[in-house]
Structure formats: structure tokens, C-alpha cells
């Protein structure tokens, strides 16, 4: 079993926040484009799969 030291954990959190930096607008927009592209890709794949199975089921009536 792992013991958690609250003081050390709090120190680690503070150090992490000190090292973290706010991203600039260009970096934010790049990440946003990648996330939107990923969501669109997954949505297109899901649509193609659903459409394919809908067409297959229509043929078996």
C-alpha cells in the first residue's frame, strides 16, 4: 500500500504550478485546430460506419 504524504504532495503541486506557463494565442489556436480535426475525423468515421450498417440492414428487409 502506498502512503501519501500530504505536505510533499502539496509541495509537488506548488512546484508544478510554478513551472506551468500560460500558452500564447498561436499555441492555443494550433491545439484547438488539432482537437477539432480529431473530433471531425472520429465523427466522420462514426458516420461512415453507421451509414454502412444502415444500408446493409435496408438490403435485408
Amino acid at each position: 500500500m502506498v502512503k501519501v504524504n500530504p505536505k510533499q504532495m502539496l509541495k509537488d503541486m506548488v512546484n508544478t504550478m510554478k513551472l506551468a506557463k500560460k500558452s500564447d494565442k498561436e499555441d492555443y489556436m494550433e491545439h484547438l485546430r488539432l482537437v477539432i480535426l480529431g473530433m471531425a475525423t472520429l465523427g466522420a468515421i462514426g458516420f461512415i460506419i453507421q451509414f454502412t450498417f444502415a444500408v446493409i440492414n435496408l438490403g435485408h428487409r
Side-chain angles (χ1 to χ4, degrees), residues 1-57:
M1 187 165 168
V2 178
K3 290 195 176 191
V4 178
N5 183 353
K7 281 186 177 182
Q8 184 61 40
M9 193 164 107
L10 189 60
K11 267 184 171 180
D12 291 343
M13 286 181 187
V14 170
N15 285 338
T16 300
M17 291 307 293
K18 284 181 183 177
L19 289 174
K21 66 176 180 109
K22 187 174 178 182
S23 58
D24 57 351
K25 187 175 180 178
E26 183 179 317
D27 195 33
Y28 176 77
M29 293 306 286
E30 183 179 343
H31 283 105
L32 183 62
R33 276 188 295 240
L34 288 172
V35 168
I36 291 173
L37 178 65
M39 288 175 64
T41 302
L42 287 176
I45 291 170
F47 175 78
I48 290 169
I49 291 171
Q50 183 140 3
F51 183 75
T52 303
F53 280 108
V55 169
I56 290 172
N57 285 337

